[in-house]
Amino acid sequence: MQQPTTPPPLVELRSLYKYHKTRDLQTAALNGINLHIRTGEFVAITGPSGSGKSTLLNVLGLIDEPSKGTYLFGGQDTGRLSHGGRSRLRKERMGFVFQSFNLIDELTAEENVELPLIYQKVAVRERRERVAAALAELEMNHRAGHYPRQLSGGQQQRIAIARAIVTRPAVILADEPTGNLDSENSRVVMEKLTDFHRTGSTIVMVTHSPEDAAYASRQVRLFDGMELIPES
Ligand code: ADP
């Protein structure tokens, strides 16, 4: 009889290193990281400036390649993927939220949210429905026709989150999502992310804010490119 098999973690890093080389210096930004993230977790990556948080998120988002070690996504070894395969995996299974929103100024809120679906060749009718649903989830449908410059920072970040979720990604990767927001807008953004977590989304968020980290279900603390294991 076959044993029931547990699904592999969504993300698994094994002895992962990332070196940044400048002309006369090599920095180990990640120094042998081992990390498992299961589907449905909300993980906050914290740690002082320079501890490797952004590098880790860039590696997880397939924006940056590790120097050494293994990165499995959904059980698949990302190190064996072609450039096109990495980019497909990134576009189809990952949603990104950045500190500086990164919306396209020339596109309306609605067009910004629609863009990833155009890349995925989703038919126009389904695109319209999914964009409207994503904007509604972020309570931003009343601003669908606005351009980013006509929106507050908090509203821009909500549009950026709508853009990240509209593809129904396996994981949302957020880099300091409240870094440019005041405390009220930060709270709104963190509550939205928490709502998505409650309904099953997997979220990995880099933050230096203890208040934001407290929303997560688990914290991974980095120090000098390594995970700091708290003494018990
Ligand atoms: P954090 O996000 O925690 O502030 P980073 O991941 O940005 O940390 O940086 C980790 C270390 O790697 C730092 O010492 C930083 O100076 C170095 N580093 C990051 N990016 C580069 C780069 N592109 N070139 C050279 N060194 C880098």
Side-chain angles (χ1 to χ4, degrees), residues 9-13 33-47 56 60 171 190 194 197 201-207 209-222 227-230:
L10 181 65
V11 162
E12 182 174 357
L13 304 183
I33 292 268
N34 293 294
L35 183 65
H36 281 198
I37 298 174
R38 298 211 162 268
T39 295
E41 279 199 284
F42 181 0
V43 176
I45 298 170
T46 65
L56 177 57
L60 292 176
V171 63
M190 289 313 303
T194 308
H197 171 233
S201 293
T202 310
I203 304 172
V204 183
M205 171 182 74
V206 160
T207 185
S209 151
E211 290 84 27
D212 289 1
Y215 284 90
S217 53
R218 176 158 67 101
Q219 296 191 27
V220 171
R221 278 191 65 74
L222 293 188
E227 187 181 357
L228 204 62
I229 310 290

Side-chain angles (χ1 to χ4, degrees), residues 64-78:
D64 218 350
E65 285 189 56
S67 310
K68 213 164 74 175
T70 307
Y71 171 16
L72 302 171
F73 187 89
Q76 182 176 36
D77 186 349
T78 62

Side-chain angles (χ1 to χ4, degrees), residues 20-22 27-29 47-56 206:
H20 288 297
K21 292 193 186 87
T22 48
T27 317
S49 180
S51 59
K53 304 184 294 297
S54 303
T55 303
L56 177 57
V206 160

